């Protein structure tokens, strides 16, 4: 077997072990923060889940806020932000795809819901993350609704900016209700109903 000189050698040994350990810590923190929030979930809770001391955990994440940001980035790697996957995907198709996917990862949705609400408390390290995320979502949906308006596909009187903010608010609210009673709340169906109220059929 020959090796490709352009391909870097696979990393083994201490680096790979350290990476796996970091991943296990972040996964454990994901569970802890989703269940207890950032304030209620302690570093010791996380350390206990991965079978290590809190001192050892601090070697990988010197501050609890560092661990929170790593958990939020993990969340982003699991689920998308609602933007169209490709240019052929419509806004409605994008929202339906994302909502259907979210129903398959309830732990991720629980984490998002708990930490988003908690980020409004004093000096919460996640506030900037959620503020920027909401701004990005509103901007993304505003562009999509504005494009539909240019095509003459928004119902009369619908303002693209308010429609975008309403979609974000509706989605978060429906997700919270779905977490409480998934057998009673059709998250994707509620979002589709809203979009059908503001978007004209092709």
């Amino acid at each position: 077997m020959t090796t490709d000189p352009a391909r870097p050698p696979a990393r083994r040994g201490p680096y790979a072990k350290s990476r796996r350990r970091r991943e296990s810590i972040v996964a454990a923190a994901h569970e802890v923060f989703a269940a207890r929030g950032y304030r209620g979930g302690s570093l010791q809770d996380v350390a206990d889940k991965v079978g290590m001391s809190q001192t050892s955990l601090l070697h990988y994440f010197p501050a609890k806020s560092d661990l929170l940001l790593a958990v939020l980035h993990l969340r982003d790697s699991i689920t998308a932000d609602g933007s169209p996957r490709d240019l052929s995907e419509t806004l409605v198709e994008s929202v339906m795809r994302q909502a259907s996917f979210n129903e398959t990862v309830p732990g991720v949705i629980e984490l998002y819901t708990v930490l988003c609400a908690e980020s409004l408390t004093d000096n919460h390290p996640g506030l900037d993350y959620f503020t920027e995320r909401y701004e990005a979502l509103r901007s993304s949906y505003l562009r999509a609704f504005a494009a539909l308006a240019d095509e003459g596909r928004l119902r009369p009187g619908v303002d693209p900016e308010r429609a975008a903010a309403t979609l974000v608010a509706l989605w978060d609210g429906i997700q919270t209700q779905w977490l409480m009673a998934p057998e009673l709340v059709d998250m994707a169906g509620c979002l589709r109903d809203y979009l059908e109220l503001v978007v004209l059929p092709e």
Side-chain angles (χ1 to χ4, degrees):
M1 179 183 296
T2 60
T3 58
D4 183 353
R7 177 180 297 176
R11 288 173 168 169
R12 300 184 178 89
Y15 175 87
K17 183 178 180 180
S18 176
R19 179 175 55 80
R20 288 194 299 272
R21 177 61 82 176
R22 286 179 62 89
E23 290 172 351
S24 67
I25 292 170
V26 174
H30 187 291
E31 293 181 32
V32 169
F33 292 160
R36 305 176 188 176
Y38 175 77
R39 305 286 194 200
S42 70
L43 289 178
Q44 189 61 58
D45 293 332
V46 178
D48 290 343
K49 273 191 170 292
V50 291
M52 65 192 306
S53 69
Q54 184 172 326
T55 301
S56 296
L57 186 150
L58 291 171
H59 172 73
Y60 295 93
F61 295 95
K64 188 179 179 184
S65 58
D66 297 329
L67 185 53
L68 173 66
L69 293 177
V71 167
L72 291 173
H73 289 311
L74 172 64
R75 181 260 171 210
D76 289 342
S77 73
I78 296 173
T79 186
D81 64 0
S83 300
R85 181 174 295 175
D86 56 56
L87 294 177
S88 66
E89 188 175 49
T90 67
L91 173 62
V92 176
E93 290 169 342
S94 171
V95 170
M96 292 302 98
R97 168 179 56 77
Q98 188 64 58
S100 296
F101 174 76
N102 286 0
E103 291 179 347
T104 70
V105 286
V108 176
I109 305 308
E110 181 184 12
L111 173 87
Y112 176 89
T113 302
V114 169
L115 293 183
C116 181
E118 191 184 45
S119 72
L120 295 173
T121 59
D122 290 344
N123 302 314
H124 194 285
L127 180 60
D128 287 346
Y129 169 88
F130 286 103
T131 299
E132 292 169 4
R133 175 170 173 76
Y134 275 122
E135 290 174 352
L137 283 172
R138 287 193 302 271
S139 295
S140 175
Y141 292 136
L142 171 58
R143 290 192 297 272
F145 281 119
L148 288 169
D150 290 342
E151 297 169 10
R153 295 200 46 224
L154 283 190
R155 295 190 185 276
V158 173
D159 177 80
E161 188 169 2
R162 290 200 297 272
T166 301
L167 175 57
V168 174
L170 173 63
W171 201 327
D172 276 12
I174 289 297
Q175 281 190 156
T176 299
Q177 294 182 59
W178 176 79
L179 285 170
M180 294 175 175
E183 71 284 359
L184 300 177
V185 178
D186 180 358
M187 176 163 51
C190 290
L191 292 168
R192 182 186 293 278
D193 288 347
Y194 168 70
L195 290 171
E196 289 180 350
L197 288 174
V198 298
V199 179
L200 293 168
E202 294 186 70

